[in-house]
Coordinates of all heavy atoms in Angstrom, one line a residue:
M251 N -12.4 -1.7 0.9 CA -11.2 -2.3 0.4 C -11.2 -3.8 0.8 O -11.4 -4.1 2.0 CB -9.9 -1.6 1.0 CG -8.6 -2.1 0.3 SD -7.2 -1.3 1.1 CE -6.8 -2.5 2.4
S252 N -11.0 -4.6 -0.1 CA -11.0 -6.1 0.2 C -9.6 -6.6 -0.2 O -9.4 -6.9 -1.4 CB -12.1 -6.8 -0.5 OG -11.9 -6.8 -1.9
E253 N -8.8 -6.8 0.7 CA -7.5 -7.4 0.5 C -7.5 -8.9 0.5 O -8.0 -9.5 1.5 CB -6.5 -6.9 1.5 CG -5.0 -6.9 1.0 CD -4.1 -6.6 2.1 OE1 -4.4 -5.6 2.9 OE2 -3.1 -7.3 2.3
R254 N -7.1 -9.5 -0.5 CA -7.2 -11.0 -0.6 C -5.9 -11.6 -0.1 O -4.8 -11.1 -0.3 CB -7.5 -11.5 -2.0 CG -9.0 -11.8 -2.1 CD -9.4 -12.4 -3.4 NE -8.8 -13.7 -3.6 CZ -8.8 -14.3 -4.8 NH1 -9.4 -13.7 -5.8 NH2 -8.3 -15.5 -5.0
M255 N -6.2 -12.7 0.7 CA -5.0 -13.4 1.2 C -5.2 -14.9 0.8 O -6.3 -15.4 1.0 CB -5.0 -13.2 2.7 CG -3.8 -13.9 3.4 SD -4.0 -13.8 5.2 CE -2.5 -14.6 5.7
T256 N -4.1 -15.4 0.3 CA -4.2 -16.8 0.0 C -3.0 -17.5 0.6 O -1.9 -17.0 0.6 CB -4.1 -17.0 -1.6 OG1 -5.0 -16.1 -2.2 CG2 -4.4 -18.4 -2.0
I257 N -3.2 -18.7 1.1 CA -2.2 -19.4 1.8 C -2.0 -20.8 1.2 O -2.9 -21.3 0.5 CB -2.5 -19.6 3.3 CG1 -3.8 -20.1 3.6 CG2 -2.3 -18.3 4.0 CD1 -4.0 -20.7 4.9
R258 N -0.8 -21.3 1.4 CA -0.5 -22.6 0.9 C 0.1 -23.4 2.1 O 0.7 -22.9 3.0 CB 0.5 -22.6 -0.2 CG -0.1 -22.9 -1.5 CD 1.0 -23.3 -2.5 NE 1.3 -22.2 -3.4 CZ 2.4 -22.1 -4.1 NH1 3.3 -23.0 -4.0 NH2 2.6 -21.1 -5.0
L259 N -0.1 -24.7 2.0 CA 0.4 -25.5 3.1 C 1.3 -26.6 2.4 O 0.8 -27.4 1.6 CB -0.7 -26.1 3.9 CG -0.4 -27.2 4.9 CD1 0.3 -26.5 6.1 CD2 -1.6 -27.9 5.4
D260 N 2.5 -26.7 2.9 CA 3.4 -27.7 2.3 C 3.3 -28.9 3.3 O 3.9 -28.9 4.3 CB 4.8 -27.2 2.2 CG 5.7 -28.1 1.5 OD1 5.3 -29.3 1.3 OD2 6.8 -27.7 1.0
R261 N 2.6 -29.9 2.9 CA 2.4 -31.1 3.8 C 3.6 -31.9 3.9 O 3.7 -32.8 4.8 CB 1.2 -31.9 3.3 CG -0.1 -31.3 3.8 CD -1.3 -31.8 3.1 NE -1.4 -33.3 3.1 CZ -1.9 -34.0 4.1 NH1 -2.4 -33.4 5.2 NH2 -2.0 -35.3 4.0
T262 N 4.6 -31.8 3.0 CA 5.8 -32.5 3.2 C 6.7 -31.9 4.3 O 7.6 -32.6 4.8 CB 6.6 -32.5 1.9 OG1 7.0 -31.2 1.5 CG2 5.8 -33.1 0.8
V263 N 6.4 -30.7 4.6 CA 7.2 -30.0 5.7 C 6.5 -30.1 7.0 O 7.2 -30.2 8.0 CB 7.4 -28.5 5.3 CG1 8.1 -27.8 6.4 CG2 8.2 -28.4 4.0
C264 N 5.2 -30.1 7.0 CA 4.4 -30.2 8.2 C 4.8 -31.3 9.1 O 5.0 -32.4 8.7 CB 2.9 -30.3 7.9 SG 1.9 -30.7 9.3
D265 N 5.0 -30.9 10.4 CA 5.5 -31.9 11.3 C 4.4 -32.3 12.4 O 4.7 -32.9 13.4 CB 6.7 -31.4 12.0 CG 7.8 -32.4 12.1 OD1 7.6 -33.6 11.7 OD2 9.0 -32.1 12.4
G266 N 3.2 -31.9 12.1 CA 2.1 -32.4 13.0 C 2.0 -31.8 14.3 O 1.7 -32.4 15.3
F267 N 2.4 -30.5 14.5 CA 2.3 -29.8 15.8 C 0.9 -29.4 16.1 O 0.6 -29.2 17.2 CB 3.3 -28.6 15.8 CG 4.7 -29.0 15.8 CD1 5.4 -29.1 14.7 CD2 5.3 -29.4 17.0 CE1 6.8 -29.4 14.7 CE2 6.6 -29.7 17.1 CZ 7.4 -29.8 15.9
G268 N 0.1 -29.2 15.1 CA -1.3 -28.9 15.3 C -1.6 -27.5 15.7 O -2.7 -27.1 16.1
I269 N -0.5 -26.6 15.7 CA -0.7 -25.3 16.2 C -1.6 -24.5 15.2 O -2.4 -23.7 15.7 CB 0.7 -24.6 16.3 CG1 1.5 -25.3 17.4 CG2 0.5 -23.1 16.6 CD1 2.9 -25.0 17.3
C270 N -1.5 -24.7 13.9 CA -2.3 -24.0 13.0 C -3.8 -24.2 13.2 O -4.5 -23.3 13.2 CB -1.9 -24.3 11.6 SG -1.9 -26.1 11.3
A271 N -4.1 -25.4 13.4 CA -5.5 -25.8 13.6 C -6.1 -25.2 14.9 O -7.3 -24.9 15.1 CB -5.7 -27.3 13.7
K272 N -5.2 -24.9 15.9 CA -5.6 -24.3 17.1 C -5.9 -22.8 16.9 O -6.9 -22.3 17.4 CB -4.5 -24.5 18.2 CG -5.0 -24.6 19.6 CD -3.9 -24.8 20.6 CE -3.2 -23.5 20.9 NZ -1.9 -23.7 21.6
H273 N -5.1 -22.2 16.1 CA -5.3 -20.8 15.8 C -6.4 -20.5 14.8 O -7.2 -19.6 15.0 CB -4.0 -20.2 15.2 CG -2.9 -19.9 16.3 ND1 -3.2 -19.2 17.4 CD2 -1.6 -20.2 16.3 CE1 -2.1 -19.2 18.2 NE2 -1.1 -19.8 17.5
A274 N -6.5 -21.3 13.8 CA -7.4 -21.1 12.7 C -8.1 -22.4 12.3 O -7.8 -22.9 11.2 CB -6.8 -20.4 11.6
P275 N -8.9 -22.9 13.1 CA -9.6 -24.2 12.8 C -10.4 -24.2 11.6 O -10.7 -25.2 11.0 CB -10.4 -24.5 14.1 CG -10.6 -23.2 14.8 CD -9.4 -22.4 14.4
K276 N -10.8 -23.0 11.2 CA -11.6 -22.9 10.0 C -10.8 -23.2 8.7 O -11.3 -23.5 7.6 CB -12.2 -21.5 9.8 CG -13.6 -21.3 10.4 CD -14.0 -19.9 10.6 CE -14.3 -19.2 9.3 NZ -14.7 -17.8 9.5
Y277 N -9.5 -23.1 8.8 CA -8.7 -23.2 7.6 C -7.7 -24.4 7.7 O -7.2 -24.8 6.6 CB -7.8 -21.9 7.5 CG -8.7 -20.7 7.2 CD1 -9.2 -19.9 8.2 CD2 -9.2 -20.5 5.9 CE1 -10.1 -18.9 7.9 CE2 -10.0 -19.5 5.6 CZ -10.5 -18.7 6.6 OH -11.3 -17.6 6.3
F278 N -7.5 -24.9 8.9 CA -6.6 -26.1 8.9 C -7.4 -27.2 9.7 O -7.9 -27.0 10.7 CB -5.4 -25.7 9.7 CG -4.6 -24.6 9.1 CD1 -4.8 -23.3 9.6 CD2 -3.8 -24.7 8.1 CE1 -4.1 -22.2 9.1 CE2 -3.1 -23.6 7.5 CZ -3.3 -22.4 8.1
S279 N -7.3 -28.4 9.0 CA -7.9 -29.5 9.7 C -6.8 -30.5 9.9 O -5.8 -30.6 9.1 CB -9.0 -30.1 9.0 OG -8.6 -30.8 7.8
L280 N -6.8 -31.2 11.0 CA -5.8 -32.2 11.3 C -6.3 -33.6 11.0 O -7.4 -34.0 11.3 CB -5.4 -32.1 12.8 CG -4.9 -30.7 13.3 CD1 -4.5 -30.8 14.7 CD2 -3.7 -30.3 12.4
D281 N -5.4 -34.4 10.5 CA -5.8 -35.8 10.2 C -5.6 -36.6 11.5 O -5.2 -36.1 12.6 CB -5.1 -36.4 9.0 CG -3.6 -36.5 9.2 OD1 -3.1 -36.4 10.4 OD2 -2.9 -36.6 8.2
D282 N -5.7 -37.9 11.4 CA -5.6 -38.8 12.6 C -4.3 -38.7 13.2 O -4.1 -39.1 14.4 CB -6.0 -40.2 12.2 CG -7.4 -40.4 11.9 OD1 -8.2 -39.5 12.2 OD2 -7.8 -41.4 11.3
W283 N -3.3 -38.4 12.4 CA -1.9 -38.4 13.0 C -1.5 -37.0 13.4 O -0.3 -36.7 13.8 CB -0.9 -38.9 11.9 CG -1.2 -40.3 11.6 CD1 -0.7 -41.4 12.3 CD2 -2.0 -40.8 10.6 NE1 -1.2 -42.6 11.7 CE2 -2.0 -42.2 10.7 CE3 -2.8 -40.2 9.6 CZ2 -2.7 -43.1 9.8 CZ3 -3.5 -41.0 8.7 CH2 -3.4 -42.4 8.8
G284 N -2.4 -36.0 13.3 CA -2.1 -34.6 13.7 C -1.5 -33.8 12.6 O -1.1 -32.6 12.9
Y285 N -1.4 -34.3 11.4 CA -0.9 -33.5 10.3 C -2.0 -32.6 9.7 O -3.1 -33.1 9.6 CB -0.2 -34.4 9.2 CG 1.0 -35.0 9.7 CD1 1.0 -36.2 10.4 CD2 2.2 -34.3 9.5 CE1 2.2 -36.8 10.8 CE2 3.4 -34.9 10.0 CZ 3.4 -36.1 10.6 OH 4.6 -36.7 11.1
A286 N -1.6 -31.4 9.3 CA -2.6 -30.5 8.9 C -2.8 -30.6 7.4 O -2.0 -31.0 6.6 CB -2.1 -29.1 9.2
S287 N -4.0 -30.2 7.0 CA -4.3 -30.0 5.6 C -5.2 -28.8 5.5 O -5.9 -28.4 6.5 CB -5.0 -31.2 5.0 OG -6.2 -31.5 5.7
L288 N -5.2 -28.1 4.4 CA -5.9 -26.9 4.2 C -7.4 -27.2 4.0 O -7.8 -28.2 3.4 CB -5.4 -26.2 3.0 CG -4.3 -25.2 3.1 CD1 -4.1 -24.5 1.8 CD2 -4.6 -24.2 4.2
V289 N -8.2 -26.4 4.7 CA -9.7 -26.5 4.4 C -10.0 -25.5 3.3 O -9.6 -24.3 3.4 CB -10.4 -26.2 5.7 CG1 -11.9 -26.2 5.4 CG2 -10.1 -27.1 6.8
G290 N -10.6 -26.0 2.2 CA -10.9 -25.0 1.2 C -9.7 -24.9 0.2 O -8.7 -25.7 0.2
D291 N -9.7 -23.8 -0.5 CA -8.6 -23.6 -1.5 C -7.5 -22.6 -1.0 O -6.7 -22.2 -1.8 CB -9.2 -23.1 -2.8 CG -9.9 -21.7 -2.6 OD1 -10.0 -21.2 -1.5 OD2 -10.4 -21.2 -3.6
G292 N -7.5 -22.3 0.2 CA -6.5 -21.4 0.8 C -6.8 -20.0 0.7 O -6.0 -19.2 1.2
T293 N -8.0 -19.6 0.3 CA -8.4 -18.2 0.3 C -8.9 -17.9 1.7 O -9.8 -18.6 2.2 CB -9.5 -18.0 -0.8 OG1 -9.0 -18.5 -2.0 CG2 -9.8 -16.5 -0.9
V294 N -8.4 -16.8 2.2 CA -8.7 -16.5 3.6 C -9.6 -15.2 3.6 O -9.2 -14.2 3.0 CB -7.4 -16.2 4.4 CG1 -7.7 -15.8 5.8 CG2 -6.5 -17.4 4.4
A295 N -10.7 -15.3 4.3 CA -11.5 -14.2 4.4 C -10.9 -13.1 5.2 O -10.0 -13.4 6.1 CB -12.9 -14.6 5.0
E296 N -11.2 -11.8 4.9 CA -10.5 -10.7 5.5 C -10.6 -10.7 7.1 O -9.6 -10.5 7.7 CB -11.1 -9.4 5.0 CG -10.1 -8.3 4.9 CD -10.7 -7.1 4.3 OE1 -11.7 -7.2 3.6 OE2 -10.2 -6.0 4.6
E297 N -11.7 -11.1 7.6 CA -11.8 -11.1 9.1 C -11.0 -12.2 9.7 O -10.8 -12.2 10.9 CB -13.3 -11.2 9.5 CG -14.0 -12.6 9.1 CD -14.7 -12.5 7.8 OE1 -14.3 -11.7 6.9 OE2 -15.7 -13.3 7.6
D298 N -10.5 -13.1 8.9 CA -9.7 -14.2 9.5 C -8.2 -14.1 9.3 O -7.4 -14.9 9.6 CB -10.2 -15.5 8.9 CG -11.6 -15.8 9.2 OD1 -12.0 -15.5 10.4 OD2 -12.3 -16.4 8.4
H299 N -7.8 -12.9 8.7 CA -6.4 -12.7 8.4 C -5.5 -12.9 9.6 O -4.5 -13.5 9.6 CB -6.2 -11.3 7.8 CG -6.5 -11.2 6.4 ND1 -6.2 -10.1 5.6 CD2 -7.1 -12.1 5.6 CE1 -6.6 -10.3 4.4 NE2 -7.2 -11.5 4.3
D300 N -6.0 -12.3 10.7 CA -5.2 -12.3 12.0 C -4.9 -13.7 12.5 O -3.8 -14.1 12.8 CB -5.8 -11.4 13.0 CG -5.7 -9.9 12.8 OD1 -4.9 -9.6 11.8 OD2 -6.3 -9.1 13.5
A301 N -6.0 -14.5 12.5 CA -5.9 -15.8 13.0 C -5.0 -16.7 12.1 O -4.2 -17.4 12.6 CB -7.3 -16.4 13.1
V302 N -5.2 -16.5 10.8 CA -4.4 -17.3 9.9 C -2.9 -16.8 9.9 O -2.0 -17.7 9.9 CB -5.0 -17.2 8.5 CG1 -4.0 -17.8 7.5 CG2 -6.3 -17.9 8.4
M303 N -2.7 -15.5 10.1 CA -1.4 -15.0 10.2 C -0.7 -15.6 11.4 O 0.5 -15.9 11.3 CB -1.5 -13.5 10.3 CG -0.6 -12.7 9.3 SD 0.1 -13.6 8.0 CE 1.5 -12.6 7.6
R304 N -1.4 -15.7 12.5 CA -0.8 -16.2 13.7 C -0.4 -17.7 13.5 O 0.6 -18.1 13.9 CB -1.8 -16.1 14.8 CG -1.2 -15.9 16.2 CD -2.3 -15.4 17.2 NE -2.9 -14.1 16.8 CZ -4.2 -13.9 16.9 NH1 -5.0 -14.7 17.5 NH2 -4.6 -12.7 16.6
A305 N -1.3 -18.4 12.8 CA -1.0 -19.8 12.5 C 0.2 -19.9 11.7 O 1.1 -20.8 11.9 CB -2.2 -20.5 11.8
L306 N 0.3 -19.0 10.7 CA 1.5 -19.0 9.8 C 2.8 -18.8 10.5 O 3.8 -19.4 10.3 CB 1.2 -18.0 8.7 CG 2.1 -17.9 7.5 CD1 1.3 -17.4 6.3 CD2 3.3 -16.9 7.8
L307 N 2.7 -17.8 11.4 CA 3.9 -17.4 12.1 C 4.3 -18.4 13.2 O 5.5 -18.5 13.5 CB 3.7 -16.0 12.7 CG 3.6 -14.8 11.7 CD1 3.2 -13.6 12.4 CD2 4.8 -14.7 10.9
D308 N 3.3 -19.1 13.7 CA 3.6 -20.0 14.8 C 4.0 -21.4 14.4 O 4.4 -22.2 15.2 CB 2.3 -20.0 15.7 CG 2.4 -19.0 16.8 OD1 3.3 -18.1 16.8 OD2 1.5 -19.0 17.7
C309 N 3.7 -21.7 13.2 CA 4.1 -23.0 12.7 C 5.6 -23.2 12.9 O 6.4 -22.5 12.3 CB 3.7 -23.2 11.2 SG 4.3 -24.7 10.5
P310 N 6.0 -24.2 13.7 CA 7.4 -24.3 14.0 C 8.3 -24.7 12.8 O 9.5 -24.4 12.8 CB 7.4 -25.5 15.0 CG 6.0 -25.7 15.4 CD 5.2 -25.2 14.3
V311 N 7.7 -25.3 11.8 CA 8.5 -25.7 10.6 C 8.2 -24.9 9.4 O 8.7 -25.2 8.3 CB 8.3 -27.2 10.3 CG1 8.9 -28.0 11.4 CG2 6.8 -27.5 10.1
H312 N 7.4 -23.8 9.5 CA 7.1 -22.9 8.4 C 6.5 -23.6 7.2 O 7.0 -23.4 6.1 CB 8.3 -22.1 8.0 CG 9.0 -21.4 9.2 ND1 8.4 -20.3 9.8 CD2 10.1 -21.6 9.8 CE1 9.2 -19.9 10.8 NE2 10.2 -20.6 10.8
A313 N 5.6 -24.5 7.5 CA 4.9 -25.2 6.4 C 3.8 -24.4 5.7 O 3.4 -24.7 4.7 CB 4.3 -26.5 7.0
I314 N 3.4 -23.3 6.4 CA 2.4 -22.5 5.9 C 3.0 -21.3 5.3 O 3.9 -20.6 5.9 CB 1.4 -22.1 7.0 CG1 0.9 -23.3 7.8 CG2 0.2 -21.4 6.4 CD1 0.4 -23.0 9.1
M315 N 2.6 -20.9 4.1 CA 3.1 -19.7 3.5 C 2.0 -18.9 2.8 O 1.0 -19.5 2.3 CB 4.2 -20.0 2.5 CG 3.9 -21.0 1.4 SD 5.4 -21.9 1.0 CE 4.9 -23.5 1.4
E316 N 2.2 -17.7 2.8 CA 1.3 -16.8 2.1 C 1.6 -16.7 0.6 O 2.8 -16.6 0.3 CB 1.3 -15.4 2.8 CG 0.1 -14.5 2.3 CD 0.2 -13.2 2.9 OE1 1.0 -13.0 3.9 OE2 -0.6 -12.3 2.5
V317 N 0.6 -16.8 -0.2 CA 0.8 -16.7 -1.6 C 0.4 -15.3 -2.1 O -0.8 -15.0 -1.9 CB 0.1 -17.8 -2.4 CG1 0.4 -17.8 -3.8 CG2 0.4 -19.2 -1.8
G318 N 1.3 -14.6 -2.6 CA 0.9 -13.3 -3.1 C 0.1 -13.4 -4.4 O 0.3 -14.2 -5.2
E319 N -0.9 -12.5 -4.5 CA -1.8 -12.6 -5.6 C -1.1 -12.3 -6.9 O -1.5 -12.8 -8.0 CB -2.9 -11.6 -5.4 CG -4.3 -12.1 -5.9 CD -5.3 -11.0 -5.8 OE1 -5.3 -10.2 -4.9 OE2 -6.2 -10.9 -6.7
H320 N -0.1 -11.4 -6.9 CA 0.6 -11.0 -8.1 C 1.8 -11.9 -8.5 O 2.3 -11.8 -9.5 CB 1.0 -9.6 -8.0 CG -0.1 -8.7 -7.6 ND1 -1.1 -8.4 -8.4 CD2 -0.3 -8.0 -6.4 CE1 -2.0 -7.6 -7.8 NE2 -1.5 -7.3 -6.6
R321 N 2.1 -12.8 -7.6 CA 3.2 -13.7 -7.9 C 2.8 -14.9 -8.7 O 1.8 -15.5 -8.4 CB 3.8 -14.2 -6.5 CG 5.2 -14.7 -6.6 CD 5.8 -15.0 -5.3 NE 5.8 -13.8 -4.4 CZ 5.9 -13.9 -3.1 NH1 6.1 -15.1 -2.5 NH2 5.9 -12.8 -2.4
P322 N 3.5 -15.2 -9.7 CA 3.1 -16.3 -10.5 C 3.3 -17.6 -9.8 O 4.2 -17.8 -9.0 CB 4.1 -16.3 -11.7 CG 5.3 -15.4 -11.2 CD 4.7 -14.5 -10.3
A323 N 2.3 -18.5 -9.9 CA 2.3 -19.7 -9.2 C 3.5 -20.6 -9.6 O 4.0 -20.6 -10.8 CB 1.0 -20.5 -9.4
G324 N 4.0 -21.4 -8.7 CA 5.1 -22.3 -9.0 C 6.5 -21.8 -8.5 O 7.3 -22.6 -8.3
T325 N 6.6 -20.5 -8.3 CA 7.9 -20.1 -7.8 C 8.0 -20.3 -6.3 O 7.0 -20.3 -5.6 CB 8.1 -18.5 -8.0 OG1 6.9 -17.9 -7.6 CG2 8.3 -18.2 -9.5
H326 N 9.1 -20.6 -5.9 CA 9.3 -20.9 -4.4 C 9.9 -19.7 -3.8 O 11.1 -19.4 -3.9 CB 10.2 -22.1 -4.3 CG 9.7 -23.1 -3.3 ND1 9.9 -22.9 -1.9 CD2 9.0 -24.2 -3.4 CE1 9.4 -23.9 -1.3 NE2 8.7 -24.7 -2.1
P327 N 9.1 -19.0 -3.0 CA 9.6 -17.8 -2.4 C 10.6 -18.0 -1.3 O 11.4 -17.1 -0.9 CB 8.4 -17.1 -1.8 CG 7.4 -18.2 -1.6 CD 7.7 -19.2 -2.7
V328 N 10.7 -19.3 -0.8 CA 11.6 -19.6 0.3 C 13.1 -19.7 -0.2 O 14.0 -19.1 0.5 CB 11.2 -20.9 1.0 CG1 12.1 -21.2 2.2 CG2 9.7 -20.8 1.4
S329 N 13.3 -20.4 -1.3 CA 14.6 -20.5 -1.7 C 15.1 -19.3 -2.4 O 14.5 -18.8 -3.3 CB 14.7 -21.7 -2.7 OG 14.0 -21.4 -3.9
S330 N 16.2 -18.7 -1.9 CA 16.7 -17.5 -2.5 C 18.2 -17.7 -2.8 O 19.0 -17.1 -2.1 CB 16.5 -16.3 -1.6 OG 17.0 -16.6 -0.3
T331 N 18.5 -18.5 -3.7 CA 19.9 -18.7 -4.1 C 20.4 -17.5 -4.9 O 19.7 -17.0 -5.8 CB 20.1 -19.9 -4.9 OG1 19.0 -20.1 -5.8 CG2 20.3 -21.2 -4.0
A332 N 21.5 -17.0 -4.5 CA 22.0 -15.8 -5.1 C 22.3 -16.0 -6.6 O 23.0 -17.0 -6.9 CB 23.2 -15.3 -4.4
V333 N 21.9 -15.2 -7.4 CA 22.1 -15.3 -8.9 C 23.5 -14.6 -9.2 O 23.6 -13.4 -8.9 CB 21.0 -14.7 -9.7 CG1 21.3 -14.9 -11.2 CG2 19.7 -15.3 -9.3
E334 N 24.4 -15.4 -9.7 CA 25.7 -14.8 -10.0 C 25.6 -14.1 -11.3 O 24.9 -14.5 -12.3 CB 26.7 -15.9 -10.1 CG 27.3 -16.3 -8.7 CD 28.2 -17.4 -8.8 OE1 29.1 -17.4 -9.7 OE2 28.1 -18.3 -7.9
D335 N 26.4 -13.1 -11.4 CA 26.5 -12.3 -12.6 C 27.1 -13.2 -13.7 O 28.3 -13.6 -13.6 CB 27.4 -11.1 -12.4 CG 27.4 -10.2 -13.6 OD1 26.7 -10.4 -14.6 OD2 28.2 -9.2 -13.5
P336 N 26.4 -13.5 -14.8 CA 26.9 -14.4 -15.8 C 28.1 -13.8 -16.6 O 28.9 -14.5 -17.2 CB 25.7 -14.6 -16.7 CG 24.8 -13.4 -16.4 CD 25.0 -13.0 -15.0
A337 N 28.2 -12.5 -16.5 CA 29.3 -11.8 -17.3 C 30.6 -11.8 -16.5 O 31.7 -11.5 -17.1 CB 28.9 -10.4 -17.7
A338 N 30.5 -12.2 -15.2 CA 31.7 -12.0 -14.4 C 32.8 -13.0 -14.8 O 34.0 -12.7 -14.7 CB 31.3 -12.3 -12.9
G339 N 32.5 -14.2 -15.3 CA 33.5 -15.2 -15.6 C 34.0 -15.1 -17.0 O 35.0 -15.8 -17.4
I340 N 33.5 -14.3 -17.8 CA 33.9 -14.2 -19.2 C 35.2 -13.4 -19.4 O 35.2 -12.3 -19.0 CB 32.8 -13.6 -20.1 CG1 31.5 -14.5 -20.1 CG2 33.3 -13.5 -21.5 CD1 30.3 -14.0 -20.8
K341 N 36.2 -14.1 -20.0 CA 37.4 -13.4 -20.2 C 37.6 -13.1 -21.7 O 37.3 -13.9 -22.5 CB 38.6 -14.3 -19.8 CG 39.3 -13.8 -18.5 CD 40.5 -14.5 -18.2 CE 40.3 -15.9 -17.6 NZ 41.5 -16.6 -17.4
A342 N 37.9 -11.9 -22.0 CA 38.1 -11.5 -23.4 C 39.5 -12.0 -23.8 O 40.5 -11.7 -23.2 CB 38.0 -10.0 -23.5
E343 N 39.5 -12.9 -24.8 CA 40.8 -13.4 -25.2 C 41.2 -12.8 -26.5 O 40.6 -13.0 -27.6 CB 40.7 -14.9 -25.4 CG 42.0 -15.6 -25.3 CD 41.8 -17.1 -25.3 OE1 41.2 -17.6 -24.4 OE2 42.3 -17.7 -26.3
D344 N 42.2 -12.0 -26.4 CA 42.6 -11.3 -27.6 C 43.5 -12.2 -28.5 O 44.3 -13.0 -28.1 CB 43.5 -10.1 -27.3 CG 42.7 -9.0 -26.5 OD1 41.6 -8.8 -27.0 OD2 43.2 -8.4 -25.6
N345 N 43.2 -12.1 -29.8 CA 44.0 -12.8 -30.7 C 45.3 -12.1 -30.9 O 45.4 -10.9 -31.1 CB 43.3 -12.9 -32.1 CG 42.2 -13.9 -32.1 OD1 42.3 -14.9 -31.4 ND2 41.2 -13.7 -32.9
E346 N 46.4 -12.8 -30.7 CA 47.7 -12.2 -30.8 C 48.0 -12.0 -32.2 O 48.3 -13.0 -32.9 CB 48.8 -13.0 -30.0 CG 49.0 -12.5 -28.6 CD 50.0 -13.4 -27.9 OE1 51.1 -13.5 -28.4 OE2 49.6 -13.9 -26.8
A347 N 48.0 -10.8 -32.6 CA 48.4 -10.5 -34.0 C 49.8 -10.7 -34.2 O 50.7 -10.3 -33.4 CB 48.0 -9.1 -34.3
E348 N 50.2 -11.3 -35.3 CA 51.6 -11.5 -35.6 C 52.2 -10.3 -36.2 O 51.6 -9.7 -37.1 CB 51.8 -12.7 -36.5 CG 52.8 -13.7 -36.0 CD 52.8 -14.9 -36.9 OE1 52.0 -15.8 -36.7 OE2 53.7 -14.9 -37.8
W349 N 53.3 -9.9 -35.6 CA 53.9 -8.7 -36.0 C 54.8 -8.9 -37.2 O 55.7 -9.7 -37.2 CB 54.7 -8.1 -34.9 CG 55.1 -6.7 -35.1 CD1 56.3 -6.3 -35.5 CD2 54.3 -5.6 -34.9 NE1 56.3 -4.9 -35.6 CE2 55.1 -4.4 -35.2 CE3 53.0 -5.3 -34.4 CZ2 54.6 -3.1 -35.1 CZ3 52.5 -4.0 -34.3 CH2 53.3 -2.9 -34.7
G350 N 54.4 -8.3 -38.3 CA 55.3 -8.6 -39.5 C 56.4 -7.5 -39.6 O 56.1 -6.3 -39.6
F351 N 57.6 -8.1 -39.7 CA 58.7 -7.1 -39.8 C 59.1 -7.0 -41.3 O 59.1 -7.9 -42.0 CB 60.0 -7.7 -39.1 CG 59.8 -7.6 -37.6 CD1 59.4 -8.7 -36.9 CD2 60.1 -6.4 -37.0 CE1 59.3 -8.7 -35.5 CE2 60.0 -6.4 -35.6 CZ 59.6 -7.5 -34.9
T352 N 59.2 -5.8 -41.7 CA 59.6 -5.5 -43.0 C 61.1 -5.2 -43.0 O 61.5 -4.3 -42.2 CB 58.8 -4.4 -43.7 OG1 58.6 -3.4 -42.8 CG2 57.6 -5.0 -44.3
R353 N 61.9 -5.8 -43.9 CA 63.3 -5.5 -43.9 C 63.7 -4.7 -45.0 O 63.2 -4.7 -46.0 CB 64.1 -6.8 -43.9 CG 63.8 -7.7 -42.8 CD 64.6 -9.0 -42.8 NE 64.1 -9.8 -41.7 CZ 64.7 -11.0 -41.4 NH1 65.8 -11.4 -42.0 NH2 64.2 -11.6 -40.4
Ligands
SF4_451 S1 1.5 -25.7 12.7 FE1 2.7 -26.3 11.0 S2 3.7 -28.2 11.6 FE2 1.9 -27.9 12.9 S3 0.2 -29.0 12.0 FE3 0.1 -26.9 11.3 S4 1.3 -26.9 9.4 FE4 1.8 -28.8 10.5

């Protein structure tokens, strides 16, 4: 069984703690200022899952995220704004029928 793991790194979030590179130096490299960037395309070999997982969990600003293979790219798994029921606000407005009196 070969379970694939893919990670992403949001460099706008990264705060340069360098923890990821300490845990998984094969996958994260630090620039001169200590900010991380991904080595390779984010595909993690099976034997490195644990190290990368540790880096992911230890990142203080959660700049590293796992990308599910079945999830379409582009969706942001972090933001989870509740979707309101669109039917909740709709009011049925009855037309008031005019009552015709017959005399
Ligand atoms: S652990 Fe997080 S904040 Fe620190 S360098 Fe890595 S990605 Fe950036």
